[in-house]
Amino acid sequence: MTDQAQCDELLAALTKRPMTAMEILLELGIGRPSARIYDLRQQGHPIHSTEVVVNNRKGKPCRVASYSVTTDQMLLIPQLPGRAKFSQRPGKKETNR
């Protein structure tokens, strides 16, 4: 499958629901999801990524990106491009300075 065919398939899937890189790999068979996300963003598609916490295969929590296509309604809400920024990450100890 060509890169553009993968981009088209990924864009269609992201319009239905948000997906993580692992979901894209397992459900769509796209081996380099982040590269296709990059390609879609370069083509001008409004792809939004949000940091989510999932469990890895050993059951430990880890942070990954969940990608989604912003709709016209979502474009009314100001957002930072790329990954969402959080002030506190789960599992991190606060340091007093």
Side-chain angles (χ1 to χ4, degrees), residues 55-61:
N55 291 330
N56 63 13
R57 67 179 84 174
K58 295 182 180 181
K60 294 186 179 183

Side-chain angles (χ1 to χ4, degrees), residues 18 41 45-51 66-86:
R41 285 179 174 156
H45 297 285
I47 307 292
H48 180 69
S49 60
T50 306
E51 192 175 73
S66 176
Y67 302 106
S68 61
V69 174
T70 55
T71 61
D72 292 336
Q73 182 67 29
M74 288 180 69
L75 291 176
L76 298 175
I77 303 169
Q79 298 173 355
L80 295 173
R83 299 188 115 195
K85 305 294 184 204
F86 293 99

Side-chain angles (χ1 to χ4, degrees), residues 16-27:
K16 295 176 184 170
R17 69 177 181 93
M19 299 177 82
T20 64
M22 187 57 70
E23 291 170 337
I24 294 169
L25 175 65
L26 294 175
E27 295 176 22

Side-chain angles (χ1 to χ4, degrees), residues 36-45:
R36 299 298 73 85
I37 294 293
Y38 176 82
D39 291 343
L40 289 171
R41 285 179 174 156
Q42 291 299 330
Q43 293 172 10
H45 297 285

